[in-house]
Amino acid sequence: MAITASTPPDPEMEALKKLFAAGGTTGPGAKTVYMGTERYMTYGGQKTGEGRGAPKYGTRPLKMTEQEAMNNFYNWDDKKRSDFTAQLVLAGMVPAGAGALEAEKAWQDLVKASARYGAAGKEVTPYDLLTGYVKAAGGAKKDSWKQLGAFEVNTVTGEKRYAGPGRYLGNGRAVMVDTRTDLTDPDTAKGIATKLFQDLMGRDPQAGELSAFAAALNAAEASSPVTQTTTTQYDMDTGQALSQQTASAGGVTAEGRAYIGEQQIKQKKEYGVNQSVTTYQNALESLIYGNPG
């Protein structure tokens, strides 16, 4: 008894059945839209019986009804929709800052125009029409890029890449890190040292003491640079900055400057003597005058 392998349905015939069910026709004036070509398996792979083995592929025209092509817009991911909008801006079909509503209307117009070409027996995709507009606007070369705010957009493919400052994090966010050393100016250093010496020693600092404090302070500041991190959120369609957040770390605080000066003063023998005298004097005054109450 011979075993006959089942024949899979013809994909093209199934597509025709679907087209007729939707009310389409294949004659002159048919509302079909050419969408390019698609790759399909001619035989092999999971198929059993005759022809089993390594799959073989071919290409064939991909056509949709006008409504199916229009609905295709709603299946795009955010990147594809953003790239498409960027191409529309480059082509001058929508203004900079246009969003999903303008892109949807433009796609419908391109689909309708493609359908009219199809009715005339010509295979022109909506993408072909858009590319023609982009080229007419000055994007004749495939490697031609145009600035769009913080991004660059390929004038033919619509591919977008970040060209702004810092490092791109994705989804329109970029971060820029700035590291710098903030040194206290001489006048400010003198003011800090003068107050510390008056508070702890009862006198003004001398020339050598001022320079020693300034050198110690600058060395501490040089070893603790200030790191400033700025995160910017950009509009993916226009490339313009929407918001910025800045955070700082490192550096020497006012308390840190005072601590450096105090440590220098406390290392002096004079400081120990001064503290002893002050402590003795306070105790003597307490015995003589009593505890004020």
Side-chain angles (χ1 to χ4, degrees):
M1 178 179 178
I3 299 177
T4 303
S6 60
T7 303
D10 184 351
E12 291 186 347
M13 184 58 68
E14 293 298 312
L16 287 174
K17 289 179 180 179
K18 184 177 181 180
L19 179 61
F20 277 111
T25 66
T26 57
K31 290 290 185 178
T32 58
V33 180
Y34 177 64
M35 299 293 288
T37 59
E38 65 176 346
R39 191 167 177 256
Y40 73 104
M41 188 171 65
T42 58
Y43 68 79
Q46 300 299 319
K47 184 177 178 182
T48 59
E50 185 179 355
R52 179 175 54 193
K56 183 176 181 180
Y57 297 91
T59 57
R60 61 190 173 194
L62 174 61
K63 295 185 179 181
M64 298 181 179
T65 66
E66 187 174 336
Q67 190 60 49
E68 286 173 337
M70 287 185 179
N71 291 341
N72 189 255
F73 176 85
Y74 308 107
N75 296 324
W76 295 352
D77 58 24
D78 291 339
K79 182 180 184 306
K80 184 172 182 178
R81 190 174 291 112
S82 177
D83 289 347
F84 175 71
T85 305
Q87 281 191 287
L88 294 174
V89 173
L90 294 173
M93 298 177 67
V94 298
L101 291 178
E102 293 84 355
E104 177 188 28
K105 176 63 168 58
W107 174 252
Q108 291 175 354
D109 291 341
L110 291 169
V111 167
K112 291 176 182 177
S114 178
R116 290 193 292 270
Y117 276 99
K122 298 182 179 180
E123 294 182 335
V124 180
T125 71
Y127 306 106
D128 293 334
L129 295 173
L130 177 57
T131 298
Y133 278 104
V134 174
K135 288 183 177 179
K141 296 181 180 180
K142 188 176 179 64
D143 60 349
S144 179
W145 294 82
K146 182 176 180 180
Q147 194 75 24
L148 189 66
F151 296 94
E152 289 180 339
V153 182
N154 190 294
T155 57
V156 175
T157 66
E159 181 186 354
K160 191 179 297 180
R161 65 190 182 191
Y162 183 66
R167 179 168 57 90
Y168 189 57
L169 304 177
N171 296 322
R173 293 175 66 243
V175 64
M176 183 169 61
V177 179
D178 175 45
T179 301
R180 68 181 188 275
T181 300
D182 288 343
L183 299 179
T184 302
D185 63 90
D187 289 338
T188 301
K190 181 179 179 180
I192 296 172
T194 299
K195 186 177 187 312
L196 288 171
F197 270 83
Q198 289 176 347
D199 290 345
L200 298 177
M201 303 289 288
R203 65 172 176 82
D204 288 342
Q206 299 173 2
E209 292 170 331
L210 278 175
S211 60
F213 170 69
L217 180 57
N218 286 168
E221 290 169 334
S223 64
S224 182
V226 177
T227 300
Q228 191 172 63
T229 303
T230 302
T231 303
T232 305
Q233 179 67 52
Y234 292 96
D235 187 309
M236 292 286 289
D237 294 327
T238 66
Q240 301 303 309
L242 297 175
S243 62
Q244 277 190 339
Q245 291 182 335
T246 301
S248 297
V252 179
T253 64
E255 291 79 6
R257 297 187 187 99
Y259 177 78
I260 293 170
E262 288 175 2
Q263 292 304 111
Q264 281 202 321
I265 293 174
K266 289 178 180 180
Q267 291 174 5
K268 294 179 176 293
K269 290 182 179 181
E270 181 187 351
Y271 173 77
V273 173
N274 183 68
Q275 287 299 105
S276 298
V277 171
T278 302
T279 301
Y280 174 76
Q281 182 176 355
N282 290 339
L284 181 61
E285 289 177 353
S286 178
L287 287 173
I288 296 174
Y289 299 107
N291 190 17

